[in-house]
Amino acid sequence: MMTSAFTYVLPAIRGVQAGREYYVSMCPLQLLRRFFIFDDEELMPELRAQRTLNKARVPEIARYIVENLDSYTFSAITVSVDGEVKFDPIGEDGPASFRMGSLTVSMHAKFVVNDGQHRRAAILQALDAAPELGEETIAVVFFVDRGLERCQQMFADLNRHAVKPSASLGILYDHRSAAANLARHLSLTSNVFKGLIEAERSSLSPRSRSLFTLSAVHFATTEFLSEKELEDFQSASQRCLEFWEMVGEQIPEWTYVRESKMTSGDVRRDFIHSHAIVLQALGRAGRALYQLPALERAERVKRLRTVDWSRKNAKTWEGRAMVGGAMAKSGQNITLTCNEIKRVLGLKLTPEEGSAEAAWAASRMPQGRAARRRKK
């Protein structure tokens, strides 16, 4: 890229969408600091062309770049150019609607990011930590600005059909994460999970032959092992295989599905123990269980066989794993479900778990009795 006294000149490819020209160029990362701006965040939403920047997302994206300098990947940034634009094609070969050439833009033009504002902010932050990234490039798609209404419509159109991949599919394809690698390994080698894992979707239909989702196994793994423990793949996999094998022996329905004595749909309909929230709660309780000597934890885990995991057992699970008879998903529900499992296993609650349990117990207490207790 080079600049004249009054213009930017960028190598570009011209295309046409909806009868309007647009241009694609490669921009050195270091130049992202000089142009491509955001609307004033203090303006009302009606006067802006995109969402405000979520600053909490930026450090995570920047860290992803810095930690993966040899393998990070970014899609194109889309911007609108409010100013004078001229495209000069090179040669006359090819259709007129698709040619290579140079895009000349006034230096007084305003560049507004329609899509990719968080990528841009993260790249700038990453450049502070790794200046050598400055010579690398990112694709930029330029549209000629046609006013605020058009920019707002572009933002809506660009995000209208964006679909985030399911958590399970993201884990299946994530080879950077130690927890994802371990979850995939468990799905292929564990006698409990092998052949019963849905690896693409994070929810199961009643007719699905799978009993668990890969995302559920992944989140249960992160509850069971600390980040430091996950770094040692061999040790982590051995511990996980051992733990889930012990748990599986206490839940006969899991075995019945493997032996085709029950269907996965029937088990998921009638019991809660194969749902993500319970797997996570089991994983969290398992972390505490593994603070005990091997022989003692092997005896304690057998107590799980006494648990009534039936959905009909509302006395135990309503407000913990279920809300209104449906499986719950919040962190509070995971904690309360874990608390019940810990009670069965004879494990102590952490202070946070104890506070959650006390609040839950108070919420179930009749108002009159609760008021009398508060007075006392």
Side-chain angles (χ1 to χ4, degrees):
M1 181 182 296
M2 59 182 179
T3 63
S4 68
F6 302 100
T7 61
Y8 295 109
V9 181
L10 306 93
I13 299 174
R14 178 176 62 187
V16 174
Q17 283 185 6
R20 297 187 180 97
E21 290 188 359
Y22 72 100
Y23 313 94
V24 181
S25 183
M26 297 296 142
C27 178
L29 299 185
Q30 60 188 350
L31 292 184
L32 293 181
R33 200 182 300 274
R34 299 188 186 179
F35 46 74
F36 306 161
I37 66 170
F38 302 112
D39 289 341
D40 191 336
E41 294 184 5
E42 295 181 1
L43 290 177
M44 295 173 59
E46 293 85 354
L47 301 179
R48 285 191 267 108
Q50 73 269 74
R51 75 191 89 184
T52 57
L53 188 71
N54 182 350
K55 296 179 180 179
R57 289 181 56 195
V58 174
E60 181 180 355
I61 302 173
R63 186 165 55 251
Y64 157 74
I65 302 171
V66 174
E67 293 179 355
N68 301 281
L69 293 177
D70 59 348
S71 60
Y72 75 92
T73 305
F74 276 139
S75 56
I77 293 174
T78 302
V79 304
S80 290
V81 183
D82 182 5
E84 296 181 11
V85 174
K86 179 184 177 184
F87 180 76
D88 296 309
I90 299 175
E92 298 298 330
D93 296 333
S97 62
F98 179 81
R99 287 190 182 155
M100 299 180 63
S102 59
L103 182 66
T104 303
V105 184
S106 168
M107 292 188 70
H108 298 292
K110 179 181 178 182
F111 299 84
V112 178
V113 178
N114 300 112
D115 183 62
Q117 56 264 47
H118 291 91
R119 270 165 278 160
R120 173 192 177 272
I123 288 170
L124 297 186
Q125 193 171 111
L127 284 171
D128 294 334
E132 63 274 18
L133 287 169
E135 297 301 320
E136 298 192 2
T137 59
I138 189 169
V140 181
V141 181
F142 294 93
F143 288 89
V144 178
D145 182 88
R146 295 181 182 272
L148 177 61
E149 183 176 343
R150 174 59 182 165
C151 281
Q152 290 177 336
Q153 187 62 57
M154 285 177 60
F155 175 83
D157 290 346
L158 287 167
N159 290 277
R160 185 187 308 276
H161 302 295
V163 178
K164 185 177 180 180
S166 70
S168 286
L169 190 61
I171 292 163
L172 181 65
Y173 292 163
D174 186 355
H175 297 277
R176 302 187 197 279
S177 166
N181 291 335
L182 184 53
R184 287 195 305 274
H185 179 73
L186 290 174
S187 72
L188 297 173
T189 60
S190 168
N191 290 329
V192 173
F193 301 124
K194 184 169 58 178
L196 298 177
I197 294 288
E198 168 55 59
E200 186 171 354
R201 298 175 179 83
S202 294
S203 60
L204 297 175
S205 69
R207 295 184 179 182
S208 174
R209 295 182 180 181
S210 300
L211 187 59
F212 314 97
T213 64
L214 184 60
S215 58
V217 176
H218 169 267
F219 293 127
T221 299
T222 59
E223 293 284 357
F224 179 52
L225 298 176
S226 66
E227 289 187 11
K228 185 176 181 180
E229 289 171 328
L230 285 168
E231 292 174 0
D232 186 339
F233 179 81
Q234 183 174 358
S235 174
S237 60
Q238 288 177 349
R239 176 172 288 198
C240 281
L241 288 168
E242 178 186 76
F243 171 67
W244 290 112
E245 188 70 24
M246 287 195 302
V247 171
E249 290 174 356
Q250 318 312 317
I251 303 179
E253 290 79 18
W254 292 3
T255 302
Y256 297 159
V257 173
R258 288 198 303 273
E259 295 175 349
S260 299
K261 294 179 181 178
M262 292 184 71
T263 67
S264 297
D266 288 344
V267 170
R268 292 179 62 81
R269 181 194 63 212
D270 297 336
F271 300 93
I272 69 168
H273 45 46
S274 62
H275 290 264
I277 181 176
V278 179
L279 289 184
Q280 286 182 252
L282 284 166
R284 187 180 299 182
R287 183 183 293 202
L289 185 67
Y290 266 69
Q291 303 302 312
L292 302 176
L295 290 177
E296 185 174 355
R297 67 172 174 260
E299 287 301 315
R300 294 274 190 105
V301 78
K302 293 178 182 179
R303 300 181 187 181
L304 290 176
R305 189 169 279 269
T306 67
V307 176
D308 181 0
W309 299 103
S310 171
R311 281 178 179 261
K312 295 180 180 179
N313 182 17
K315 181 179 179 181
T316 299
W317 303 120
E318 181 62 32
R320 292 185 186 273
M322 300 188 300
V323 174
M327 298 303 297
K329 298 180 180 180
S330 74
Q332 183 79 347
N333 292 113
I334 295 171
T335 297
L336 293 172
T337 303
C338 174
N339 288 354
E340 174 61 17
I341 294 171
K342 278 190 167 184
R343 184 194 67 77
V344 172
L345 297 177
L347 300 171
K348 292 182 179 180
L349 303 183
T350 66
E352 293 79 9
E353 291 168 344
S355 297
E357 189 69 17
W360 178 77
S363 70
R364 291 171 62 87
M365 192 179 300
Q367 290 186 355
R369 289 171 55 195
R372 288 195 295 273
R373 290 198 177 190
R374 282 197 297 270
K375 289 180 180 180
K376 292 181 180 180

